[in-house]
Amino acid sequence: MSIRNKIPLGLAVAAMAFPAVDARAQSSTDGGSAASLPKLVVEAPWLSKPSQSVLPPHSPASPPAADGGDFLRSVPGISGVRMGGHGIDPVIRGMQGNQLNITTDGAYIYGGCPNRMDPPASFAPVETYDQVIVSQGYQSVTRGAGGPGGHIDFQRLAPVFETGKSYLGQVGGGWESNGNIRDAFGDVAAGRDGAYARVVGAAKEADNYDDGDGNEVRSSFSQRSIDTVAGYEKEDGAALSLGLGFASTEDALFEGAAMDAPVDDSRTLRGKVRLPVAFGAFTEVRAEGFATGVEHVMDNYSLRTRTAPMAMRVDSTSDTFGGSLAGDLAVGSAALTVGLDYQHNSREAERYSGMSDSNVNTLNSLMWPDTEIGQLGLFVESTLDVAQQTRLVLGGRYDRVEASLGRADEVVTSKGRSPNDLYRMYYGETGEDRSENNFGGLARLEYDLTSRTVLHAGLSRSVRTADATERSMASDMMASSWVGNPDIKPEAHHQLEAGLSTRDEGWSFGATAYVDRVSDFILRDSARGQSGVLLSNGATVYRNVDALLSGFTVSGDYRFAGNWVLAGDATYTYGENLDEDRPLAQIPPLEGSLSLAYQGDGWEVGTVFRGALKQTRVDDDSSTGSGRDADKTPAWFTQDLYASVETFTPFEVRVGVTNLFDRDYAYHLNRANSFDVTEVQVDEPGRSFYLRAIARF
């Protein structure tokens, strides 16, 4: 199957945060859709609870985004890793990959690329979603196993129809000059008497973009997606929905890799049931289920002129299914949620080689040797009103993890070794079945200092198991080998967090600081005969160390002179490998933004300054450390301009320019090359003009 601005604050605090609220923001977390709601006017995310924000994907100040990960980089507190024009991998509190739980309408989808060309957020064309809920840090035990860095859910909501009208929708599209990016989307729903059907489709074409120095960056791609959902909702809150989606990204080029991806197809099936009940203390029961599948192909010859001596191709699949069953109870003055969830992911990746582009059929490596990871979780969470202005949130979670490597003993004839042979060479271990019993929980106190100011402080423990790559990667390339550790321990995060959110007429401010002591942090490292690693040949390996992550995020906005809005944010993250007294790699520096906008009646103009300070705390020497940082990264600052007009109902038009002064810059975060241990940092796009139009009906 082929398928956001704000003031950098130099706070000398080692600690991170939630964004504040615009006094005029309108949002909903429990109904409506983008096509049926009033225009959301948000200068900062709408805060629904500590460290959680609800974001509209169509804010005028948001620049065009290639995918969900690209959109998330405009959110205070989130950075991202670029490899090409598509597949930006988000980073929160210095954590990435499966340290974050990312879902689309509650479904987990894990990419098929071992080098993360297709991270979960890349499967979310943000134009087609109604809202994005971002929780930074570990804020609830009810959102699946692990996820110490946070949870991101791209959501589509049930449509709300006007009286006497049985349909609604929107269509739109746009163009960006740098990269000649063209996109279009449509979202149509029809229904009556609580029943509805909705179809959402999107398409995007991109050529290579130029960086600020005028150098062409390999970044083109072609993407298509379509999602359908049918459902029924009653006035008493009962709801049922069933959805099916397909997506395809083709001919995706990657500057930061030695391979490109001609094929990346996905399919998603999801179902949800919500029932209000009156059974004992139970008030509501919810059930969700999903199944997702990804087929991925990457190679070094079909979309580029091959320079490597061997032609290589990787065929891979990633299939995930699972679901949850949860119920809400009223026990005295406490609101209680109990439930269970399950998730099973199966991944296979085979790399083939050949002397010519037309004859790539020799099995080279079993990169994912039929790796299966199942996680069954039980959880309970309660919110207690301990005083008139004070709430206590308590939660506990247990996860049973079982992992197996079905092809670990299979010998790759061209190498004369099996994945188990590689594991023995580097760790003295083999890929037998393994299990884990992981316990987590949280306690958070929320205090309403005033009707407009909330303070919170919390302590949590979250445990996340190693993913398929950390556990079982078996890329056999001599000194450039990349070998997972089948005996790697799960990492346990112990986070202490405190913050506040305050607002008054015309302004708001939010801040959170955290410290995260990590036991058995899973470190991607370079083999140099260190503890737990038997060889010293520079190969990519995994081992456990103790680590510290800390930081803060602040954000706020201020309305003055009637129609002017000034807003700003800043985020700082600190990471330390405690075992070796060295910086953790891939930690972003102080980043932030500042925006100024004039909001008229049906129109808005503004400018956004974005930037980062120099990152000097790096781990860039593979002979003494992991070498995962490409180098120290210089400071950078850019400016965007934008204008939005929606006085010509039902049309809305946006124009703007990003990177106005055509700066050449890159985020500090980088990716590793697909074939060797070289770290590659990809420059961001230079100046680009854009035009977008949306019609709602």
Side-chain angles (χ1 to χ4, degrees):
M1 179 173 40
S2 299
I3 286 223
R4 181 198 261 227
N5 309 0
K6 304 162 189 182
I7 307 172
L9 303 177
L11 301 182
V13 185
M16 173 177 161
F18 55 78
V21 192
D22 183 89
R24 304 177 308 110
Q26 302 176 58
S27 186
S28 170
T29 62
D30 56 7
S33 74
S36 61
L37 289 176
K39 170 70 168 61
L40 292 169
V41 182
V42 178
E43 303 311 322
W46 181 78
L47 200 67
S48 61
K49 60 180 64 176
S51 297
Q52 177 171 297
S53 48
V54 181
L55 307 159
H58 302 290
S59 171
S62 296
D67 59 15
D70 197 11
F71 165 77
L72 288 168
R73 288 203 303 182
S74 67
V75 179
I78 304 183
S79 192
V81 190
R82 178 183 290 278
M83 185 187 289
H86 188 264
I88 308 297
D89 211 356
V91 177
I92 302 177
R93 299 189 176 185
M95 289 178 270
Q96 56 184 285
N98 83 326
Q99 293 172 318
L100 308 179
N101 285 342
I102 301 178
T103 53
T104 55
D105 273 341
Y108 285 86
I109 183 168
Y110 295 105
C113 177
N115 210 37
R116 296 184 69 85
M117 290 177 173
D118 59 345
S122 70
F123 295 97
V126 71
E127 302 89 350
T128 69
Y129 286 86
D130 302 321
Q131 64 184 24
V132 184
I133 298 182
V134 177
S135 297
Q136 302 189 24
Y138 193 65
Q139 304 301 330
S140 176
V141 302
T142 67
R143 297 169 184 157
H151 177 248
I152 301 167
D153 188 21
F154 295 85
Q155 291 190 343
R156 296 189 180 106
L157 306 175
V160 177
F161 302 101
E162 297 176 6
T163 302
K165 185 178 179 181
S166 59
Y167 68 92
L168 55 84
Q170 60 180 349
V171 295
W175 172 80
E176 298 173 61
S177 63
N178 194 347
N180 188 29
I181 304 172
R182 300 87 67 198
D183 76 280
F185 71 92
D187 182 354
V188 180
R192 185 176 180 180
D193 298 330
Y196 66 89
R198 183 178 182 184
V199 180
V200 184
K204 183 170 294 187
E205 299 279 346
D207 300 336
N208 293 337
Y209 67 73
D210 292 339
D211 65 18
D213 278 344
N215 300 311
E216 184 175 315
V217 176
R218 294 176 57 81
S219 54
S220 66
F221 64 91
S222 174
Q223 187 177 39
R224 305 284 187 275
S225 68
I226 185 167
D227 284 84
T228 62
V229 61
Y232 179 72
E233 288 204 351
K234 297 178 64 176
E235 292 183 359
D236 64 359
L240 168 68
S241 67
L242 181 64
L244 179 64
F246 300 92
S248 177
T249 301
E250 298 179 344
D251 299 342
L253 306 189
F254 293 93
E255 182 77 14
M259 283 186 167
D260 303 307
V263 176
D264 195 61
D265 297 343
S266 70
R267 65 272 184 191
T268 303
L269 175 66
R270 57 173 68 84
K272 300 180 182 182
V273 177
R274 183 179 69 230
L275 293 173
V277 297
F279 181 75
F282 280 91
T283 60
E284 184 176 282
V285 175
R286 298 176 299 280
E288 299 186 12
F290 69 89
T292 62
V294 178
E295 298 174 6
H296 180 82
V297 177
M298 61 180 177
D299 63 45
N300 68 343
Y301 55 87
S302 66
L303 301 174
R304 65 171 68 194
T305 300
R306 177 167 58 90
T307 57
M310 299 286 287
M312 289 194 176
R313 185 187 76 250
V314 177
D315 299 338
S316 56
T317 61
S318 177
D319 298 319
T320 310
F321 67 87
S324 65
L325 177 65
D328 294 340
L329 300 87
V331 181
S333 62
L336 189 68
T337 298
V338 298
L340 59 86
D341 52 39
Y342 181 72
Q343 179 188 138
H344 183 278
N345 175 246
S346 176
R347 284 173 160 175
E348 286 193 84
E350 301 173 333
R351 184 168 63 208
Y352 295 88
S353 62
M355 297 304 298
S356 69
D357 297 357
S358 60
N359 188 28
V360 187
N361 55 18
T362 300
L363 183 62
N364 173 278
S365 292
L366 289 171
M367 299 181 72
W368 285 330
D370 188 19
T371 305
E372 298 192 20
I373 303 174
Q375 302 180 77
L376 174 64
L378 305 174
F379 57 85
V380 58
E381 186 169 295
S382 178
T383 301
L384 308 171
D385 292 324
V386 297
Q388 185 176 359
Q389 297 170 284
T390 307
R391 297 169 299 282
L392 178 63
V393 180
L394 296 172
R397 182 179 180 93
Y398 163 73
D399 289 288
R400 171 71 175 183
V401 179
E402 295 185 348
S404 64
L405 314 182
R407 301 174 65 183
D409 271 328
E410 185 176 324
V411 174
V412 177
T413 303
S414 65
K415 299 291 185 178
R417 288 187 290 263
S418 68
N420 268 339
D421 291 328
L422 279 179
Y423 306 147
R424 288 190 194 97
M425 290 168 58
Y426 284 89
Y427 309 107
E429 299 287 346
T430 56
E432 279 93 13
D433 293 358
R434 282 171 168 80
S435 62
E436 300 168 5
N437 296 290
N438 298 329
F439 296 88
L442 62 84
R444 183 174 66 244
L445 194 65
E446 302 173 6
Y447 175 63
D448 298 331
L449 184 63
T450 71
S451 62
R452 297 175 178 267
T453 302
V454 180
L455 307 178
H456 81 275
L459 180 66
S460 67
R461 169 186 166 90
S462 56
V463 183
R464 73 107 183 168
T465 193
D467 66 13
T469 299
E470 296 162 330
R471 187 185 298 274
S472 68
M473 172 58 66
S475 173
D476 197 347
M477 294 282 286
M478 298 180 292
S480 295
S481 291
W482 181 7
V483 185
N485 185 346
D487 200 40
I488 199 80
K489 297 177 183 178
E491 62 182 33
H493 292 250
H494 307 88
Q495 297 188 54
L496 176 64
E497 175 182 313
L500 67 88
S501 173
T502 184
R503 59 182 298 177
D504 207 337
E505 196 67 36
W507 64 272
S508 67
F509 177 79
T512 294
Y514 73 93
V515 176
D516 182 4
R517 179 62 160 78
V518 190
S519 302
D520 295 318
F521 181 88
I522 299 175
L523 179 72
R524 178 170 172 167
D525 208 351
S526 175
R528 55 187 187 279
Q530 66 272 57
S531 176
V533 179
L534 302 179
L535 297 183
S536 181
N537 61 359
T540 298
V541 294
Y542 294 91
R543 63 191 185 97
N544 294 115
V545 299
D546 288 341
L548 178 70
L549 291 162
S550 60
F552 65 82
T553 295
V554 295
S555 65
D557 59 80
Y558 174 62
R559 174 174 292 277
F560 63 97
N563 297 87
W564 291 92
V565 179
L566 178 69
D569 70 77
T571 297
Y572 175 73
T573 307
Y574 174 93
E576 181 79 359
N577 177 341
L578 297 176
D579 284 4
E580 300 175 346
D581 297 324
R582 71 171 72 251
L584 285 176
Q586 293 301 281
I587 301 297
L590 179 68
E591 297 179 347
S593 62
L594 174 68
S595 69
L596 180 64
Y598 186 90
Q599 298 172 341
D601 186 10
W603 60 276
E604 179 177 338
V605 295
T607 185
V608 182
F609 299 88
R610 310 181 196 274
L613 297 187
K614 182 178 182 179
Q615 179 57 288
T616 59
R617 301 191 75 256
V618 297
D619 180 3
D620 59 353
D621 187 347
S622 61
S623 65
T624 59
S626 74
R628 285 197 60 211
D629 289 322
D631 203 346
K632 296 178 181 179
T633 303
W636 58 268
F637 296 93
T638 66
Q639 182 181 6
D640 300 347
L641 300 175
Y642 69 90
S644 174
V645 180
E646 50 182 305
T647 56
F648 306 106
T649 305
F651 300 100
E652 177 183 352
V653 178
R654 301 176 190 166
V655 297
V657 55
T658 57
N659 195 356
L660 176 64
F661 295 103
D662 206 17
R663 304 294 190 190
D664 184 51
Y665 72 102
Y667 282 75
H668 174 66
L669 304 173
N670 54 257
R671 297 275 192 94
N673 191 295
S674 297
F675 282 141
D676 56 43
V677 295
T678 305
E679 299 293 339
V680 181
Q681 195 175 68
V682 179
D683 284 352
E684 294 294 310
R687 178 169 50 236
S688 184
F689 298 90
Y690 65 87
L691 169 67
R692 298 195 61 77
I694 301 175
R696 298 180 176 89
F697 54 89

